[in-house]
């Protein structure tokens, strides 16, 4: 099911285009193991500084892309699975569930349990 959700999100990302879409794809393909911007630059065969400039030209940054991918995956996990906050936190690369809950609240204004309750799971 997690693979299916990742493929669905990848389909959306691929329609967007640009270097930001390439980075989103890399991040979604490896949930929980998020490489550094330097590692991604190497994968894309571009210098890290040039990658940062291209992202800036697209109006984004590696940090915001990473946050966006984590948020999208978290929402999908909460909507479509019965995974605990601890399991979701681990899948998203957070050191513990509390850090995940804080990030989710920042993204959505609600905690994961409230969100899941509103979604009917």
């Amino acid at each position: 099911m997690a693979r299916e959700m990742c493929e669905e999100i990848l389909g959306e990302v691929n329609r967007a285009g640009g270097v930001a879409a390439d980075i989103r794809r890399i991040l979604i393909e490896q949930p929980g193991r998020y490489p550094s911007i330097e590692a991604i630059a190497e994968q894309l065969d571009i210098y890290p500084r040039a990658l940062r400039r291209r992202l800036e030209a697209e109006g984004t940054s590696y940090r915001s892309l990473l946050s966006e991918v984590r948020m999208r995956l978290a929402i999908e996990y909460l909507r479509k699975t019965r995974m605990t906050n601890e399991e979701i936190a681990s899948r998203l690369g957070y050191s513990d569930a509390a850090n995940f809950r804080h990030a989710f609240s920042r993204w959505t204004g609600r905690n994961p349990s409230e969100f899941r309750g509103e979604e009917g799971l």
Side-chain angles (χ1 to χ4, degrees):
M1 179 178 252
R3 179 173 305 209
E4 204 174 283
M5 289 186 313
C6 288
E7 287 173 6
E8 187 178 309
I9 293 172
L10 274 173
E12 294 172 21
V13 164
N14 287 334
R15 287 189 289 276
V19 73
D22 293 337
I23 292 173
R24 285 184 191 99
R25 180 184 41 77
I26 291 167
L27 295 174
I28 290 168
E29 288 174 349
Q30 304 173 33
R33 294 176 303 197
Y34 300 111
S36 67
I37 192 168
E38 291 77 17
I40 287 181
E42 186 176 322
Q43 231 177 314
L44 296 174
D45 197 28
I46 186 172
Y47 290 106
R49 187 170 178 195
L51 179 57
R52 284 185 184 92
R53 282 196 305 265
R54 288 176 69 179
L55 287 173
E56 187 177 322
E58 291 183 24
T60 191
S61 68
Y62 177 71
R63 177 178 265 171
S64 65
L65 291 173
L66 177 58
S67 183
E68 175 192 333
V69 166
R70 283 176 156 173
M71 178 188 73
R72 291 174 84 170
L73 288 171
I75 287 171
E76 290 300 307
Y77 290 146
L78 289 167
R79 281 185 178 154
K80 298 180 179 177
T81 73
R82 295 205 175 274
M83 290 171 35
T84 65
N85 287 343
E86 289 76 14
E87 291 169 323
I88 295 172
S90 175
R91 287 246 175 129
L92 297 179
Y94 286 97
S95 57
D96 61 40
N99 289 334
F100 162 65
R101 285 191 304 271
H102 291 300
F104 193 84
S105 294
R106 251 191 341 270
W107 299 326
T108 66
R110 298 174 281 181
N111 71 45
S113 300
E114 291 170 345
F115 183 86
R116 181 172 269 163
E118 293 168 8
E119 294 295 313
L121 277 180

